Amino acid sequence: MIGKAPGANHTIEETQKIIDLLAVSEIPEDDFRFFLERWMPGTCEWLLSEKVFSTWLQQSATSGVFWLHGPPASGKSIMSAYLINHLKDAGIDCQYYFFRFGDQTKRSLNSLLRSLAFQIAEKSPEFKTALTRLSDDGLRIEKTDARTIWQRLFVSLLFKLEVDTPLYWIIDATDESDSPQSLIELLSGISSCKIPLRVLIVSRRSTSLSSAIHRLSNSVRLDDMSTENNSHDIHLYVEAEMQYMHGTPEFRSSVSQKVLNRASGNFLWVHLASKEILQCNTQNDIELALEELPAGMEPLYHRMEANVAKSNKATDVELAKRLLIWTICSRHPLGVEEFGQALQPESPILDLRHTISQLCGQFVVVDNKDRVVMIHQTAREYLTKTPNLRCSIDIANGHEALLSRCMLLLLDPALRPAIERSEHQQFVTYAATSWAYHLNLVYAGSDSSLTLLTRFFQGYSVLVWLHYLASSKQLRSLAFTSQVLARFVQKRRRLDPSKIPTLHRLQELETVERWATDLVKLLGKFGSSLFENPSSIYKLVPHFCPRSSAVNRQFAKETARGGLNITGVTNTSWDDSMARLSVGHGEEAQKVVASGRHFAVLTFNGIIVLWDAIAFEERYRLTHQEHVTGLCFSTNNEMIASCGIYSTKVWRVSSGRQLYNIPNPEGSKALCVLFAKDDTILLMGSDDRNVRTLSFCTIPAAWQILDSKILREQSTIDGTYRNSPCCMAFNASASQVAVAYRGFPLSVWAIENPRLISRCRRTISHRQRKMSNAWTGVDRVVWHPNGNEILGLYNDGCVFKWQPLQDENEELYANASEIACSPEGSIFATSNVDGNVKLYNYHHFALVYQLTWDNPVVDLTFSPDSGRFYDLRGSVCNVWEPNVLIRLSDTDERGSETASEAGSTTLASMASESRVELLEPIIALAVSDRTMYYCTGNDEGVVHIYDSLTGQKQELWRSSSLMTVHHLAWSTNADKLACAEAGGKISVCSLTTSALETKIAKRAATMIFNATIQVETGGISQILLDPSSRYLLITSQSSTQTWSLEESTVATFIMSKRPGVRQRWINHPLLQNRLLACDSTTLTAYQWDSLTELSSVDIDTTVASATGQLLQPEDFPGPPRRPSLGNPLTPSENTSSSVDKFMLTQDGDHLLLQTSENGPTRKPIKHLRIFPITTSLSSLDGPLSTPLPLQPLRLPPELLVRIEIPLGIIPKHRLVFLDRDYWICTWQISGTAPRAAAVAPTRHYFLPKDWINAESLTLCTIMKDGAFLYPRNGEVAVIRCDLEEDGLLQG
């Protein structure tokens, strides 16, 4: 495992960031040590004396590749270890990697490149800094394809570093990698590396590899040498082995010479022959052994296999085959203890090491890490590819046997208790994470495999498996498992037409197919919740899954009794939506950018809304106060810059504080903006054809033209006209800028040494035959993350990919209006005005996903980890996480058993499609205190009433003007309902019910009051009916008025004493003719009919009440000071305090007050105060003219910091709230004493992250029976569980 790097001068935090980015769990030091320990002093030294090799080794000023090739078992890996050690001893930076065919985790180019990058970062501070920035940006490349990693980390970063010291790479056993030819193709690009890069490739010589190497010589200096000149090494090795043989020196010399004569340069043959000779007891036995030893490895293997098969006990032969199957087919080498567990219970072995040595005929050995491995890759090839052997191994059958063992272990009923006690076997980890690997290499027509899968997925064991993956942080493997299951079903269905219909097993295939979908959705929608609480898979997760999903159909009903119950939402099938976030009514979204753990949306009014990308929590609203055309995050994610028409502003992401406000040059409009040079400067490309720079190190900071030569075209082109650019884009390294025009070719310019690099000439196709020239206007342009290629849109909607240096152009007709490329580079997205979003494979231009929705898309971008994309439609930012982005990112888990049916089959990639249908969003939600009814109002002005117990629903009325319903209010007796629309129309209806029938379906609404009031800025704040239903209260920011419902006239109108200070009103809990108003500092009683102020009491604000965050002293300096005419607030004190919630709690015993305080330079601070009714009303209604400040309950700080949204207090004094992770929690309030008992809260259930958005969180509420109401997609989820129990995670 990786710890702190030796000799590194950087912090542990930086190293951890690199580990997170590259997902490196091991460095190849163990493999290096394994082979170095087998090196014998005096051997391999001939390499350094070979002129061709020593010349290559010493010519460190240029880049080049050296190919060291040789036959199998000729000591190549030991030579690699020797050379690595030689370079290390010489103080030369050297990175290395050993491909191991017997270990699936060490066969991919992905793992090679990630390992090399990590090793280089440990030696190069510059490269480490560059990788740290990528990690800060949220990029993760564990599953990224090798080509993209090469371009992103090596070509775009490493190769551009100005370093004189050469780098040496030694890559051993290249022929054992998944794709050796692909590696050779990548290495053709090292000629562009500014660092001298010397690459040593060590491998067998094969026709395909020789051909690839020959092509490499066209672009890179190439030298090669064979290892066949190793006779001296063989001689030393034989002498060392023979010194342990008894006999005279002459006899030992004779035996050594005979072994040497037959070795043919093969160390493995010598090792096996020596081992057999050393077991002889007499000279005659040795002579006989020498005569019987066959020359060459294949005859020797044949003899070894015959010895295994000739055992007198059939059980021994079968056990030997089992040992060979597990050693050959396991996903990675198993440790001795783990291997023994894998063989149980069929073959409980007393001494595994002894059994292997006795039964496996030297094919299997235990290595220095106590792992069971094949003696050599050639031995594996012999047993799997040689026909008519008694101990031959069929790869597909072998993987089926391993699949069966893994599945049977996971099906064991005793597994869950063992997992919960952490007493499970070591082999459980292998079984849980590797069964899908084996399934991928099993013959799809295997009935026994399908039977096992069906049994597993139809039973409880699948939840235990998911529990274990979550608890061991292995959930990411679900993406690969989902892909394998889908592939298995697809291949199986291809085979079924050849069978009679009764054997098709359609129902079982449907079960597997459903789970293939469910697994990837569970990862996307519940991954973070399962990581935190793995046991939630049993009683919580199934209920939040769609009703058509396998996990819901199988387990929701089973766990509903006494547990969670969700009604009110359709939720029939999975969707790809993770969140829908509104920038606010009346606002239109313009641009979206994402970086690190945040994303930001810019509106046309110059408002920047910043969200947390994990919790989808709105962090800040930054007001630029003018139209903004450019927006970007800094590379370290600590700043965000906005370029308006007149000014550029830079903000601190963590606090929302404005750092800079710099005037813009007159007559210019920003088309692109980018932080550069370690975020010390800001670059801007503008429509006046200039590139400007803003240095934050200069005082005062001001825009300067970078170089007047940039974008200054000197030549003219027939048929074109050069107008203002329509779009511009910098590449990630800020070394080039692309500028697009509608009447002139797309051009790419170098920035540092200003020059025109290339112009984009469109390839003439049938679609453009009528055009007079090959120049086409470009509407959109973005850079590929590698910084060398461009994606863009021609003005006819065609997508094109262009390499400016090679002037290679490829295009695809897509009818697109917007385009974005994923940060890891393998996917790009397009959208159009019809609302469709399409995802394409970047390298093949193949469609892989399509999202269909009616609303037009304004802009789109990918998340930094490429796992989701954001799009803007109207006032909403949508967050999408389709399966394809998770599955396509899982490129490093493929099997490569070419001998198996599965391994030789390539499935065509089929594009998935998602269609979105959304109901009108709910804007208002009100609960009746005395019944189990609630009502909703939506964006189209429709009001519905619901019975929370039966789920019945009835439309009460519909706005004639289709205006949004903003507020609803019930009367005390639930016989009247008031409604306020966006245009100022106020309605009150009477709800009548038959005396014998109380169902909602029989209720009728009779309108008894209609009025329209003049709407102020900010609109209506609240409406409230008095207990007698004679008066209606209407409040706004500056005034409060009451209307008589009987006379339809204004009864009272008063102006607010403190304009801008928001209040909330409730009916007095005890006195019908009074109502209470509360702001952040004062509770006031009023007369209902006249709004006469009767009394007031200050709230004690010295009691700790801040919720949801750990505060620093500068965050909360103290209670706000009241302004006066002679002593107004200073700018630093100018905070706005508002009442978010003021309510009589559901138990009727408490008043709950939540306020929020927003300052110009700090995070919004929320406060929660709870007042017992008895003490608060006695202070307010008592005889004292100056009552003492109202004392809230003293809630423990450890409780307050967990509260995100307080919901109320249900009977038995249980405080209900949403915590910071959006779990419904309860906390027992002990009595009404000023200091409540500090008992830990109980978690009951969580909200899925795709349910969370600001609008729903504002409206959600809880009923008196504990039912939680949560609006979602135009419906209201009613969630019930027993809140008096200890939580669903306990059972």
Side-chain angles (χ1 to χ4, degrees):
M1 300 300 290
I2 293 175
K4 186 177 180 181
N9 294 321
H10 304 281
T11 65
I12 296 176
E13 290 77 10
E14 286 178 321
T15 301
Q16 187 59 50
K17 287 181 179 180
I18 305 301
I19 294 174
D20 293 340
L21 169 69
L22 301 174
V24 178
S25 58
E26 287 183 293
I27 54 176
E29 180 76 15
D30 291 333
D31 292 326
F32 163 61
R33 293 296 170 192
F34 172 80
F35 290 113
L36 188 63
E37 288 170 4
R38 281 151 181 76
W39 170 74
M40 181 176 296
T43 62
C44 303
E45 293 176 354
W46 62 271
L47 285 168
L48 303 179
S49 63
E50 293 287 338
K51 184 177 181 180
V52 63
F53 185 78
S54 62
T55 301
W56 175 85
L57 198 61
Q58 295 167 9
Q59 286 182 347
S60 58
T62 59
S63 296
V65 174
F66 195 101
W67 183 27
L68 184 64
H69 51 82
S74 58
K76 297 186 297 296
S77 294
I78 293 177
M79 292 180 194
S80 295
Y82 167 78
L83 291 172
I84 293 168
N85 194 57
H86 172 76
L87 291 173
K88 284 187 172 186
D89 288 344
I92 297 174
D93 285 345
C94 172
Q95 292 78 46
Y96 52 91
Y97 192 81
F98 292 83
F99 283 109
R100 305 294 293 270
F101 195 90
D103 190 339
Q104 185 268 337
T105 63
K106 296 180 180 179
R107 293 204 302 253
S108 70
L109 297 189
N110 174 298
S111 57
L112 161 71
L113 296 178
R114 288 186 289 115
S115 178
L116 291 176
F118 181 82
Q119 294 176 68
I120 296 169
E122 290 295 274
K123 298 295 184 180
S124 169
E126 297 89 349
F127 189 57
K128 187 167 193 175
T129 299
L131 294 187
T132 301
R133 290 191 191 126
L134 292 180
S135 181
D136 288 338
D137 199 35
L139 183 66
R140 297 294 181 267
I141 62 171
E142 178 184 3
K143 304 300 181 182
T144 304
D145 66 280
R147 184 190 301 270
T148 300
I149 295 177
W150 177 257
Q151 290 290 341
R152 192 77 190 269
L153 302 189
F154 294 88
V155 175
S156 298
L157 294 181
L158 179 68
F159 289 7
K160 297 187 185 311
L161 296 179
E162 300 280 356
V163 180
D164 296 330
T165 306
L167 289 178
Y168 287 85
W169 295 353
I170 296 180
I171 305 174
D172 183 70
T174 304
D175 53 296
E176 296 185 21
S177 71
D178 286 339
S179 182
Q181 290 83 7
S182 297
L183 172 60
I184 304 304
E185 290 175 10
L186 294 181
L187 291 177
S188 64
I190 69 171
S191 57
S192 65
C193 183
K194 294 182 179 180
I195 305 174
L197 181 57
R198 319 292 288 165
V199 182
L200 175 64
I201 297 173
V202 184
S203 73
R204 296 191 227 179
R205 188 182 187 98
S206 66
T207 302
S208 59
L209 199 53
S210 297
S211 177
I213 291 285
H214 177 72
R215 290 193 299 271
L216 178 64
S217 64
N218 295 326
S219 55
V220 178
R221 169 163 182 161
L222 177 69
D223 298 282
D224 77 296
M225 185 175 68
S226 172
T227 64
E228 294 179 2
N229 188 22
N230 64 349
S231 57
H232 178 68
D233 293 350
I234 292 284
H235 181 79
L236 291 177
Y237 182 69
V238 171
E239 285 188 346
E241 290 290 309
M242 290 301 105
Q243 69 178 339
Y244 298 105
M245 185 184 74
H246 297 289
T248 65
E250 294 77 11
F251 180 68
R252 287 201 301 270
S253 177
S254 172
V255 172
S256 297
Q257 191 59 46
K258 290 179 181 179
V259 171
L260 281 172
N261 291 341
R262 303 171 68 183
S264 300
N266 193 303
F267 278 93
L268 180 60
W269 189 93
V270 172
H271 170 74
L272 294 174
S274 300
K275 191 172 183 179
E276 189 161 337
I277 289 170
L278 292 175
Q279 290 177 346
C280 296
N281 297 312
T282 67
Q283 185 170 325
N284 290 336
D285 290 341
I286 292 174
E287 296 284 359
L288 182 61
L290 284 171
E291 290 179 9
E292 294 180 349
L293 273 174
M297 285 308 306
E298 186 164 334
L300 183 58
Y301 283 149
H302 181 76
R303 185 169 180 267
M304 290 163 57
E305 189 272 340
N307 288 335
V308 173
K310 73 179 182 181
S311 173
N312 294 328
K313 293 183 180 179
T315 55
D316 284 352
V317 177
E318 289 304 312
L319 180 55
K321 286 195 68 172
R322 291 197 69 206
L323 294 171
L324 289 169
I325 287 172
W326 272 98
T327 309
I328 289 173
C329 296
S330 61
R331 179 167 167 255
H332 59 73
L334 301 177
V336 171
E337 181 181 356
E338 190 178 12
F339 201 106
Q341 294 169 358
L343 297 173
Q344 297 174 356
E346 293 88 350
S347 306
I349 297 176
L350 300 177
D351 186 341
L352 183 60
R353 293 175 187 271
H354 177 74
T355 302
I356 288 174
S357 65
Q358 291 298 307
L359 300 184
C360 293
Q362 301 184 57
F363 280 111
V364 180
V365 296
V366 178
D367 69 9
N368 64 332
K369 293 182 67 176
D370 217 30
R371 300 178 307 177
V372 181
V373 297
M374 295 296 292
I375 192 168
H376 196 266
Q377 171 60 15
T378 53
R380 180 186 191 280
E381 293 171 353
Y382 176 81
L383 292 175
T384 58
K385 295 181 179 180
T386 305
N388 303 321
L389 297 177
R390 186 177 176 186
C391 290
S392 64
I393 306 300
D394 181 279
I395 290 291
N397 290 340
H399 283 290
E400 186 170 356
L402 269 64
L403 169 68
S404 175
R405 175 67 184 107
C406 292
M407 297 298 280
L408 290 174
L409 176 62
L410 297 176
L411 284 163
D412 186 351
L415 181 59
R416 182 183 177 184
I419 291 173
E420 292 175 343
R421 295 192 305 267
S422 298
E423 296 175 356
H424 56 82
Q425 294 180 338
Q426 186 179 355
F427 179 65
V428 171
T429 300
Y430 181 90
T433 58
S434 301
W435 69 261
Y437 167 78
H438 296 299
L439 176 64
N440 195 37
L441 298 167
V442 164
Y443 173 58
S446 167
D447 285 330
S448 60
S449 296
L450 180 57
T451 299
L452 269 176
L453 288 175
T454 305
R455 180 183 166 193
F456 177 67
F457 283 116
Q458 287 183 341
Y460 193 72
S461 296
V462 65
L463 297 187
V464 179
W465 169 63
L466 290 169
H467 178 197
Y468 179 74
L469 290 180
S471 61
S472 59
K473 311 301 181 187
Q474 300 276 359
L475 274 178
R476 188 70 192 175
S477 64
L478 291 182
F480 175 67
T481 305
S482 169
Q483 196 173 27
V484 168
L485 292 173
R487 187 181 295 132
F488 178 83
V489 171
Q490 186 178 353
K491 290 189 292 185
R492 177 83 188 200
R493 284 178 173 153
R494 287 179 179 175
L495 296 173
D496 275 353
S498 61
K499 300 180 179 180
I500 60 175
T502 56
L503 300 179
H504 285 184
R505 305 179 71 175
L506 298 179
Q507 187 173 358
E508 291 158 290
L509 287 175
E510 182 182 354
T511 297
V512 176
E513 191 170 40
R514 285 184 185 274
W515 275 101
T517 299
D518 283 9
L519 293 182
V520 73
K521 288 300 183 183
L522 288 171
L523 174 62
K525 293 181 180 289
F526 301 99
S528 58
S529 299
L530 286 170
F531 274 132
E532 185 178 357
N533 291 278
S535 62
S536 64
I537 188 62
Y538 298 112
K539 295 185 178 181
L540 300 184
V541 171
H543 297 274
F544 289 104
C545 296
R547 287 198 292 270
S548 63
S549 66
V551 65
N552 181 278
R553 294 168 75 175
Q554 293 174 213
F555 302 111
K557 290 183 180 178
E558 180 181 330
T559 60
R561 193 176 307 162
L564 202 64
N565 182 268
I566 303 175
T567 58
V569 287
T570 307
N571 197 25
T572 56
S573 59
W574 292 111
D575 60 47
D576 296 329
S577 173
M578 294 304 298
R580 297 185 70 238
L581 307 168
S582 173
V583 295
H585 289 284
E587 294 288 346
E588 287 291 321
Q590 174 188 355
K591 184 175 181 60
V592 58
V593 292
S595 183
R597 60 170 293 154
H598 296 95
F599 62 97
V601 175
L602 170 68
T603 73
F604 280 95
N605 291 329
I607 296 174
I608 303 155
V609 187
L610 190 68
W611 274 285
D612 184 292
I614 298 175
F616 302 122
E617 174 189 10
E618 183 179 319
R619 301 300 304 277
Y620 303 105
R621 285 185 174 248
L622 313 175
T623 305
H624 195 109
Q625 297 178 331
E626 60 180 284
H627 182 64
V628 174
T629 59
L631 187 70
C632 72
F633 280 99
S634 62
T635 54
N636 63 9
N637 309 312
E638 294 179 0
M639 296 180 288
I640 185 170
S642 55
C643 291
I645 299 298
Y646 304 106
S647 66
T648 295
K649 297 183 179 182
V650 180
W651 319 76
R652 178 74 63 190
V653 170
S654 60
S655 64
R657 184 168 63 92
Q658 182 178 302
L659 302 177
Y660 299 95
N661 185 356
I662 298 101
N664 284 347
E666 293 185 9
S668 67
K669 180 179 75 173
L671 298 179
C672 63
V673 60
L674 179 76
F675 283 89
K677 293 187 178 179
D678 296 332
D679 298 329
T680 60
I681 69 169
L682 195 62
L683 288 177
M684 176 176 68
S686 54
D687 63 350
D688 60 356
R689 289 196 292 131
N690 277 305
V691 173
R692 292 180 171 87
T693 179
L694 175 68
S695 174
F696 301 118
C697 301
T698 303
I699 300 175
W703 286 109
Q704 302 289 335
I705 293 178
L706 184 63
D707 194 309
S708 59
K709 298 176 184 178
I710 301 178
L711 308 186
R712 291 298 179 260
E713 298 278 357
Q714 301 298 323
S715 59
T716 60
I717 302 172
D718 292 339
T720 68
Y721 61 96
R722 187 165 50 249
N723 52 2
S724 295
C726 61
C727 64
M728 298 172 68
F730 296 109
N731 66 353
S733 62
S735 61
Q736 299 176 43
V737 61
V739 54
Y741 308 85
R742 289 189 173 88
F744 193 78
L746 170 68
S747 305
V748 171
W749 287 74
I751 292 178
E752 294 180 357
N753 299 307
R755 70 187 188 281
L756 176 66
I757 294 177
S758 185
R759 293 195 184 98
C760 181
R761 179 184 292 271
R762 188 174 190 182
T763 303
I764 298 295
S765 66
H766 177 73
R767 291 179 55 84
Q768 298 94 33
R769 289 185 189 276
K770 296 182 180 180
M771 296 171 56
S772 59
N773 57 61
W775 309 114
T776 304
V778 172
D779 287 338
R780 296 288 186 273
V781 59
V782 296
W783 285 88
H784 188 269
N786 64 28
N788 298 316
E789 299 175 356
I790 284 176
L791 277 170
L793 299 177
Y794 290 123
N795 53 24
D796 60 0
C798 277
V799 176
F800 67 90
K801 176 170 61 176
W802 177 44
Q803 295 178 319
L805 294 177
Q806 290 78 27
D807 198 21
E808 296 177 358
N809 197 319
E810 181 180 356
E811 69 177 65
L812 168 75
Y813 183 71
N815 188 29
S817 58
E818 301 292 337
I819 190 167
C821 188
S822 65
E824 52 82 42
S826 66
I827 298 289
F828 70 89
T830 67
S831 64
N832 60 24
V833 294
D834 295 329
N836 298 330
V837 176
K838 297 180 180 180
L839 303 185
Y840 295 87
N841 178 286
Y842 177 81
H843 302 295
H844 307 295
F845 266 30
L847 179 68
V848 295
Y849 174 79
Q850 177 171 323
L851 173 70
T852 303
W853 196 8
D854 294 335
N855 301 20
V857 177
V858 177
D859 191 29
L860 75 166
T861 192
F862 285 87
S863 62
D865 65 357
S866 303
R868 64 171 64 139
F869 67 89
Y870 306 89
D871 71 32
L872 302 182
R873 303 168 190 255
S875 63
V876 173
C877 175
N878 297 284
V879 186
W880 307 99
E881 201 167 275
N883 297 355
V884 68
L885 290 182
I886 302 175
R887 285 176 172 169
L888 287 183
S889 68
D890 214 46
T891 60
D892 200 34
E893 291 289 337
R894 299 183 301 258
S896 30
E897 302 286 1
T898 55
S900 73
E901 177 269 344
S904 60
T905 301
T906 301
L907 296 176
S909 175
M910 298 182 64
S912 59
E913 184 169 356
S914 177
R915 182 175 296 274
V916 179
E917 295 182 2
L918 296 177
L919 303 176
E920 288 298 324
I922 290 173
I923 307 300
L925 171 65
V927 173
S928 168
D929 295 333
R930 295 195 179 181
T931 68
M932 301 311 295
Y933 298 154
Y934 65 92
C935 58
T936 64
N938 67 18
D939 211 13
E940 285 196 335
V942 181
V943 176
H944 287 98
I945 185 172
Y946 301 79
D947 187 325
S948 66
L949 294 177
T950 65
Q952 289 180 293
K953 167 185 174 182
Q954 178 187 346
E955 181 179 316
L956 288 181
W957 75 80
R958 184 180 293 263
S959 170
S960 58
S961 55
L962 302 180
M963 297 295 287
T964 300
V965 175
H966 278 173
H967 301 282
L968 293 167
W970 286 90
S971 64
T972 302
N973 295 325
D975 59 348
K976 292 182 176 62
L977 184 67
C979 168
E981 298 177 11
K985 182 179 179 181
I986 309 294
S987 305
V988 179
C989 71
S990 175
L991 304 177
T992 59
T993 309
S994 167
L996 299 177
E997 183 61 70
T998 59
K999 291 183 179 180
I1000 280 182
K1002 297 294 184 178
R1003 298 180 70 91
T1006 304
M1007 202 66 63
I1008 62 172
F1009 174 84
N1010 273 303
T1012 301
I1013 67 170
Q1014 184 175 355
V1015 179
E1016 307 170 10
T1017 302
I1020 296 172
S1021 303
Q1022 184 184 359
I1023 58 175
L1024 180 68
L1025 287 165
D1026 81 310
S1028 65
S1029 298
R1030 295 172 54 206
Y1031 295 100
L1032 174 68
L1033 180 83
I1034 305 171
T1035 68
S1036 66
Q1037 289 187 7
S1038 61
S1039 66
T1040 302
Q1041 53 188 296
T1042 57
W1043 283 68
S1044 169
L1045 299 186
E1046 297 173 351
E1047 301 176 4
S1048 296
T1049 58
V1050 177
T1052 310
F1053 183 95
I1054 61 173
M1055 298 298 295
S1056 298
K1057 292 183 178 180
R1058 298 168 61 193
V1061 177
R1062 298 183 181 179
Q1063 293 179 307
R1064 296 290 294 177
W1065 301 69
I1066 64 170
N1067 284 307
H1068 195 292
L1070 303 178
L1071 304 175
Q1072 284 201 358
N1073 62 341
R1074 294 188 183 184
L1075 71 165
L1076 304 178
C1078 191
D1079 59 33
S1080 60
T1081 60
T1082 309
L1083 177 64
T1084 307
Y1086 290 85
Q1087 189 74 27
W1088 243 113
D1089 53 0
S1090 62
L1091 288 183
T1092 302
E1093 182 177 331
L1094 301 175
S1095 60
S1096 66
V1097 59
D1098 289 340
I1099 295 171
D1100 186 349
T1101 57
T1102 63
V1103 177
S1105 60
T1107 63
Q1109 55 188 308
L1110 290 171
L1111 299 179
Q1112 303 300 323
E1114 62 270 17
D1115 292 322
F1116 184 51
R1121 179 175 61 84
R1122 293 188 180 182
S1124 65
L1125 291 176
N1127 191 16
L1129 294 177
T1130 65
S1132 63
E1133 293 178 307
N1134 187 17
T1135 61
S1136 63
S1137 182
S1138 62
V1139 177
D1140 301 325
K1141 186 174 296 186
F1142 177 52
M1143 60 182 290
L1144 176 67
T1145 58
Q1146 292 82 355
D1147 64 353
D1149 293 334
H1150 300 84
L1151 295 176
L1152 185 149
L1153 172 66
Q1154 184 188 33
T1155 61
S1156 59
E1157 188 177 337
N1158 298 287
T1161 62
R1162 65 181 187 224
K1163 297 179 181 180
I1165 300 172
K1166 294 185 177 182
H1167 299 267
L1168 171 64
R1169 297 181 175 94
I1170 298 174
F1171 309 96
I1173 284 287
T1174 53
T1175 59
S1176 57
L1177 294 187
S1178 63
S1179 298
L1180 187 65
D1181 302 331
L1184 295 177
S1185 58
T1186 307
L1188 296 174
L1190 192 59
Q1191 292 283 326
L1193 294 178
R1194 294 183 180 271
L1195 302 176
E1198 58 270 24
L1199 171 69
L1200 288 168
V1201 77
R1202 296 179 63 169
I1203 296 175
E1204 183 66 24
I1205 299 176
L1207 298 169
I1209 301 174
I1210 57 176
K1212 298 185 180 180
H1213 295 172
R1214 293 181 72 89
L1215 171 66
V1216 186
F1217 62 91
L1218 277 169
D1219 71 5
R1220 298 184 67 187
D1221 297 319
Y1222 300 103
W1223 280 73
I1224 288 288
C1225 302
T1226 57
W1227 183 76
Q1228 183 67 52
I1229 297 176
S1230 179
T1232 57
R1235 178 176 294 275
V1239 180
T1242 300
R1243 278 184 158 188
H1244 296 274
Y1245 55 88
F1246 60 81
L1247 293 180
K1249 65 179 183 179
D1250 62 317
W1251 283 37
I1252 297 168
N1253 62 73
E1255 290 77 12
S1256 296
L1257 291 172
T1258 301
L1259 293 175
C1260 67
T1261 187
I1262 198 161
M1263 304 186 78
K1264 62 183 179 182
D1265 67 342
F1268 178 55
L1269 306 184
Y1270 191 84
R1272 182 172 189 264
N1273 188 22
E1275 300 175 317
V1276 177
V1278 182
I1279 308 177
R1280 282 188 167 87
C1281 80
D1282 191 345
L1283 298 181
E1284 295 185 17
E1285 296 294 328
D1286 290 334
L1288 296 175
L1289 295 180
Q1290 306 301 318

